[in-house]
Amino acid sequence: MTITQAGTRGVPAFLLISFGFAWAGMAGAWLLGFSLTNPLVQLPFGFAPALAAFVVRRWVTREGFADAGLALRLRQAWRHYLAAWLGPFALVVVMLATAAACGLWQPAWPTAGEWAFVGVLVLIVPLLTPVYWGEEFGWTSYLRLRLVPDRPVAATLATGLIWAVWHYPLAFFGYIEFGNVVVGLAVWTVSFLCQEVILGWLRISSGTVWPASLAHAGNNMVLALLTGAVLGEHLDATTTTVVMTVPLALAAGWIVLTGRLHDRVG
């Protein structure tokens, strides 16, 4: 996929809008006493990257939306949708195995209520896909294509790093509390880098932004939620994040080592 020079010139404006709108909103909500763990408070910030991408595409570079991946491509990309939908549940299994192997969790057969909760998540995640599209339309479907366009791995890692930094204020506004903020943010950053590899692969191999949006919903509502539910009461935030990152790192490593980060639509 070729990106014009005009397209790359839109990156500074995209970053300014994405960071400015989100960081100002996070700080304002915190100062007004709103909890940033509240999904309704988070919702406007999640659409800052989409807003930035729309403004830049429409009015700054005027390049339009031809490469935005807005078409659903359900018939061509159904395998990617399936992987994005059910993949986070497989990651949870690896996370639990890691926690058990490290002595951080004692395996126990789930109760009927816990199975029911998982079943609800299976149904809810696709419904939340449009919410997480707000980030993916910006990061993975705009920025990633314009950072080092001829080096897909470098572009993906750079996008993941920027995406991680965009989240950093949440570590100071009550969303997540690391005992050692420097170490915690470093681990969190690795988690974002691994996630962006997975999301980038889904985006470029499917030819549409929607599987990445679905996987993003799954990562938040399945992997992160269940990791916190299982380990959060017994472990600190940094250790919990490390355990959650293990399956993400395995999946990301497989994608990179097998050369799946390319710009050819599957």
Side-chain angles (χ1 to χ4, degrees):
M1 187 177 295
T2 302
I3 301 300
T4 65
Q5 186 177 4
T8 60
R9 284 203 302 267
V11 169
F14 169 83
L15 294 175
L16 180 63
I17 297 170
S18 295
F19 277 79
F21 182 82
W23 282 15
M26 292 176 193
W30 180 72
L31 290 172
L32 291 172
F34 292 102
S35 173
L36 289 175
T37 61
N38 186 333
L40 295 179
V41 176
Q42 298 173 23
L43 189 61
F45 314 143
F47 279 89
L51 173 65
F54 181 84
V55 169
V56 171
R57 286 178 178 276
R58 178 66 179 84
W59 290 295
V60 177
T61 62
R62 300 182 185 275
E63 63 199 277
F65 301 88
D67 67 347
L70 293 175
L72 289 174
R73 292 176 55 86
L74 291 173
R75 187 190 309 181
Q76 301 92 329
W78 67 268
R79 294 180 181 84
H80 300 90
Y81 281 103
L82 188 63
W85 183 25
L86 301 181
F89 293 94
L91 296 177
V92 168
V93 173
V94 178
M95 177 276 296
L96 292 175
T98 301
C102 295
L104 302 175
W105 173 69
Q106 185 64 39
W109 189 253
T111 65
E114 290 169 338
W115 279 118
F117 180 63
V118 172
V120 170
L121 291 179
V122 171
L123 299 176
I124 285 180
V125 167
L127 300 179
L128 294 176
T129 298
V131 174
Y132 292 94
W133 172 89
E135 288 192 53
E136 292 311 307
F137 181 68
W139 304 125
T140 306
S141 209
Y142 176 80
L143 184 62
R144 185 203 165 274
L145 298 176
R146 287 155 179 79
L147 291 177
V148 204
D150 57 339
R151 297 175 58 192
V153 175
T156 300
L157 294 178
T159 301
L161 179 60
I162 293 170
W163 181 34
V165 173
W166 184 79
H167 282 83
Y168 280 7
L170 295 176
F172 302 94
F173 294 152
Y175 176 82
I176 188 169
E177 297 182 2
F178 295 116
N180 184 312
V181 176
V182 174
V183 174
L185 288 179
V187 173
W188 213 20
T189 299
V190 173
S191 173
F192 281 110
L193 291 174
C194 294
Q195 289 185 69
E196 184 57 34
V197 170
I198 298 169
L199 298 174
W201 165 63
L202 287 169
R203 166 65 181 91
I204 61 181
S205 60
S206 68
T208 169
V209 69
W210 293 104
S213 304
L214 175 58
H216 192 156
N219 286 345
N220 281 34
M221 298 304 301
V222 177
L223 179 59
L225 183 63
L226 293 182
T227 300
V230 173
L231 305 178
E233 293 185 3
H234 310 288
L235 303 176
D236 60 87
T238 300
T239 305
T240 301
T241 304
V242 169
V243 176
M244 184 189 72
T245 303
V246 169
L248 293 169
L250 292 173
W254 172 75
I255 290 169
V256 172
L257 292 175
T258 54
R260 282 172 164 77
L261 278 181
H262 50 71
D263 290 326
R264 185 175 67 249
V265 177

